[in-house]
Amino acid sequence: MSLKDVVFHAAQRGVSGSYALRGKPFDPATPFHPPQGRYGTVHYGLMLPGLPAPLNFIDVIAVIGQPRITLWRNDHLIETTAADTANLLIGAGIEFPGQFRGYQVDRDLELAADSSIVRFGDEFQLEGTYPNFTVAYRNPAFDLYLQVRATDKVSHFAKVRGGLYDHWSLLCQYDGAVTYDGRTTELSGLNTLEYARGADVALPFSFFTYQIINIDDTTQVLMTEVLGPLGVPVQRAVYVRSLHDHGGTYEDNFAFDVHRVEPVARRTPNGLPMRLATEFTWSVDDEQGRELIEIQAVTNDDYVYGMAGGYVGSYRYTGRFRGAPIDGTGYIEYIGNR
């Protein structure tokens, strides 16, 4: 481990309490609620990576209450107040009308105090309590129904001291079906159920990426990089978990390198220019200094807007995991310029 890694890890541990939770089973008493009290913004997410083309991936990204973080905010959707504004994305490798839209919380949403019902109008519903959930989305061009069974394998991305921000992800299994273009496709596999809550604080993030790969039918790998002002790293980590163990978190010699971006910058609905990665690599070592994973990726040209203030999509990858060759389709969230 380099001296830079030692200093960076020490700083992270001083800010976040998530490190003390590593390797521990999910506590069902973990907060899971809509906006309340100091927490003006809540995020629910379900991500299904590695689907056959042309789907490539499906995700559900629901944000209730607009955060003050510029990268994650959708000012253009606000009709009344930021707290009264929600947005929903049903992302996939195919585009369809209405897959990203805004809602007014008081007018359009039904929110149980324990999030056992999260309903956006007549379009979307997340229902259930840990560990069993159902997801239903109805759109004339895209219909989705999932039964989700959460495990106790959890990755805590952030638990900022002082209660400013919490974010965690559960390893899950799902079964269901999607209907589009007049055909129905049965779905099953590994997915994530994610939750975040944030206080009304303007954190100065400048870049964010989050990626998911299902190595096989039991093993999932998550990667995240968050940068602050001037590209200073806030978080760089790879999480490994499986149906059989709680896995680990790896940060040593983390590298994420973008080799090619789209030739023309996109402009988000909020007016921010973003040049999205089309070719990139990432890797990290294990605790013994050996390469844990190395990924070479080329995107599938299916980025769609609506991951907070950025984009989601998929990529084809080859690489190695614990010395063995791997390939498949990964999931990516990308906000900002790298």
Side-chain angles (χ1 to χ4, degrees):
M1 186 190 306
S2 67
L3 178 59
K4 182 173 70 172
D5 279 343
V6 172
V7 174
F8 176 53
H9 297 171
Q12 283 187 311
R13 285 156 178 74
V15 171
S16 179
S18 62
Y19 297 87
L21 300 172
R22 292 180 174 183
K24 294 183 178 180
F26 180 70
D27 181 357
T30 300
F32 189 66
H33 57 74
Q36 65 177 35
R38 68 185 306 183
Y39 297 105
T41 300
V42 162
H43 157 68
Y44 304 92
L46 294 106
M47 292 78 182
L48 286 61
L51 299 183
L55 284 172
N56 297 330
F57 72 98
I58 294 176
D59 67 2
V60 174
I61 296 174
V63 177
I64 303 173
Q66 294 302 300
R68 291 180 63 194
I69 302 170
T70 300
L71 285 185
W72 297 347
R73 185 177 176 94
N74 278 290
D75 276 319
H76 72 288
L77 296 178
I78 298 175
E79 298 179 27
T80 53
T81 66
D84 189 42
T85 304
N87 51 266
L88 175 70
L89 169 69
I90 306 297
I94 60 170
E95 292 190 48
F96 54 90
Q99 69 184 127
F100 174 73
R101 57 166 295 192
Y103 298 79
Q104 288 185 28
V105 176
D106 288 343
R107 181 189 67 196
D108 302 322
L109 272 60
E110 178 184 351
L111 304 170
D114 61 354
S115 294
S116 56
I117 295 177
V118 177
R119 182 178 292 120
F120 282 59
D122 296 327
E123 293 80 34
F124 170 76
Q125 180 173 300
L126 169 66
E127 185 173 5
T129 56
Y130 176 84
N132 297 307
F133 302 87
T134 60
V135 176
Y137 174 73
R138 302 168 189 88
N139 181 305
F142 195 90
D143 190 275
L144 177 68
Y145 179 79
L146 300 173
Q147 293 181 313
V148 177
R149 302 171 302 282
T151 72
D152 66 348
K153 314 306 189 294
V154 61
S155 300
H156 290 272
F157 301 132
K159 191 173 180 63
V160 178
R161 300 189 191 282
L164 295 180
Y165 180 68
D166 298 336
H167 189 180
W168 48 260
S169 166
L170 280 170
L171 175 65
C172 303
Q173 296 176 286
Y174 70 91
D175 295 283
V178 59
T179 301
Y180 64 97
D181 290 341
R183 63 187 183 195
T184 297
T185 301
E186 301 294 324
L187 302 172
S188 63
L190 299 180
N191 74 300
T192 70
L193 171 64
E194 313 206 347
Y195 174 81
R197 61 179 188 172
D200 191 25
V201 176
L203 299 174
F205 298 147
S206 63
F207 175 80
F208 169 86
T209 188
Y210 172 51
Q211 303 180 29
I212 307 173
I213 289 173
N214 287 343
I215 300 294
D216 52 37
D217 292 340
T218 64
T219 306
Q220 189 175 79
V221 175
L222 319 173
M223 182 275 267
T224 187
E225 179 180 70
V226 183
L227 303 181
L230 303 176
V232 174
V234 175
Q235 184 178 25
R236 287 173 166 165
V238 171
Y239 305 80
V240 179
R241 69 255 189 109
S242 81
L243 297 178
H244 309 302
D245 66 68
H246 292 87
T249 304
Y250 303 90
E251 301 164 313
D252 295 347
N253 292 325
F254 176 100
F256 173 58
D257 297 304
V258 175
H259 305 293
R260 185 173 298 178
V261 298
E262 292 180 337
V264 178
R266 303 190 186 202
R267 188 164 292 275
T268 74
N270 297 302
L272 299 177
M274 294 188 190
R275 296 176 71 92
L276 305 182
T278 59
E279 294 184 21
F280 53 88
T281 56
W282 55 270
S283 60
V284 77
D285 290 348
D286 64 17
E287 293 98 334
Q288 287 73 44
R290 299 171 300 201
E291 178 188 84
L292 174 73
I293 189 170
E294 187 270 336
I295 295 296
Q296 303 166 15
V298 178
T299 57
N300 286 317
D301 193 29
D302 58 7
Y303 280 117
V304 59
Y305 182 81
M307 169 50 220
Y311 295 82
V312 298
S314 69
Y315 57 82
R316 305 177 304 281
Y317 70 86
T318 58
R320 295 181 303 276
F321 177 66
R322 291 176 171 155
I326 56 173
D327 64 84
T329 300
Y331 166 84
I332 181 171
E333 300 176 358
Y334 200 91
I335 312 178
N337 297 289
R338 184 69 160 75

